[in-house]
Amino acid sequence: MDRSITPALPLDAAMAMPPVAHARFNVGDVVRHRLFDFRGVVFDVDPVFANTEEWYEAIPEAVRPRKDQPFYHLLAENGESSYVAYVSQQNLITDESDEPVEHPAIGGLFDRVSGGGYRLKPVHRH
């Protein structure tokens, strides 16, 4: 029985690697939309667009974001309601208000930390 280890094959230099997008925000960060009046807590990050084409095409072309950037899942709120939002990096800025986000799902996922952010509860970390 041959127990030798086969060396790993070298990467094919001709194979194009996708560009690496760097996420500006982390899970637990509080952010605000650059154009619309809502804010929220990041609970997941997609390195590039990962929603449906129908959702993407529903965005008016004048404000439609590029797909080749991180997109963030937010527990969002505005003056009238709480909801889940999916927002491109180019449309988010850091929320400096230090005000808590009042989304009903926050308490199940996060603990509030000093400095105004949130940390995933240990049960949700991987």
Side-chain angles (χ1 to χ4, degrees):
M1 177 186 254
D2 183 10
R3 295 185 182 255
S4 62
I5 297 174
T6 304
L9 297 174
L11 288 175
D12 183 353
M15 181 187 300
M17 298 299 288
V20 177
H22 297 282
R24 190 177 305 143
F25 304 105
N26 297 305
V27 170
D29 286 352
V30 180
V31 294
R32 180 173 297 282
H33 197 281
R34 187 180 302 278
L35 304 172
F36 303 114
D37 189 24
F38 72 87
R39 61 197 286 267
V41 177
V42 175
F43 71 89
D44 196 11
V45 183
D46 293 335
V48 295
F49 179 79
N51 207 329
T52 65
E53 278 302 309
E54 180 179 82
W55 181 92
Y56 186 75
E57 294 296 325
I59 300 169
E61 193 171 347
V63 295
R64 193 176 297 153
R66 298 180 334 273
K67 290 182 176 181
D68 64 342
Q69 62 181 310
F71 276 73
Y72 299 85
H73 299 262
L74 307 178
L75 297 176
E77 66 177 5
N78 61 26
E80 301 168 8
S81 65
S82 298
Y83 50 95
V84 173
Y86 190 67
V87 186
S88 65
Q89 181 164 276
Q90 76 187 57
N91 284 322
L92 291 175
I93 57 175
T94 300
D95 182 282
E96 309 262 345
S97 72
D98 200 27
E99 294 292 321
V101 175
E102 301 295 336
H103 193 286
I106 295 273
L109 290 174
F110 294 100
D111 292 317
R112 185 134 159 94
V113 296
S114 63
Y118 293 84
R119 179 182 15 225
L120 276 175
K121 291 182 181 270
V123 70
H124 298 297
R125 293 185 205 153
H126 43 219

